[in-house]
Amino acid sequence: MPMRQFSHTVTVDDTAARVGTGDLEVLATPRLIAWCERAAFDVCRASVEGDRTTVGTYVKFEHVKGSPVGAEVLVQCAEPISDGRRLVCFVSVTDAQGEDLGHGELHRAVVDAERFMSKCQRIA
């Protein structure tokens, strides 16, 4: 399965201590998931046309190893599998040495951007 790769360097702002999800100076799981979501969004762009876009709907992710400030993190995202309304991307995350940091599955719904936003405006 073809994979696209995205690279990030862990900064102090990416740590669990800074994000507020822990007290250690290691990559926060929510930040890592956000990087995976961004990768899935970028990869899915080629699968939608016109006024359509994708929105995240489901994340299943296992973060298996910590990463210190300064570490390079590589997010690999597979081309999406489509069921017509939903795109499913599988991601794997490694460090610069190729060691597994995490892996998971992200789902994105294909939506009409204007219609989606009009529904959001009614709620607000």
Side-chain angles (χ1 to χ4, degrees), residues 21-58:
T21 59
D23 54 11
L24 299 177
E25 295 290 328
V26 295
L27 178 59
T29 301
R31 181 75 76 208
L32 181 53
I33 291 170
W35 290 346
C36 292
E37 283 269 43
R38 178 57 195 240
F41 172 69
D42 284 348
V43 168
C44 288
R45 279 185 178 170
S47 299
V48 296
E49 299 174 355
D51 292 339
R52 301 181 76 68
T53 189
T54 64
V55 294
T57 60
Y58 177 82

Side-chain angles (χ1 to χ4, degrees), residues 69-113:
V69 172
E72 182 180 9
V73 173
L74 305 171
V75 176
Q76 293 187 357
C77 183
E79 293 297 320
I81 299 166
S82 176
D83 70 2
R85 290 182 40 100
R86 178 181 60 165
L87 300 172
V88 178
C89 292
F90 292 94
V91 295
S92 65
V93 183
T94 60
D95 62 18
Q97 291 73 40
E99 289 197 39
D100 184 31
L101 300 179
H103 47 271
E105 170 183 334
L106 296 95
H107 296 199
R108 299 191 64 80
V110 178
V111 299
D112 177 277

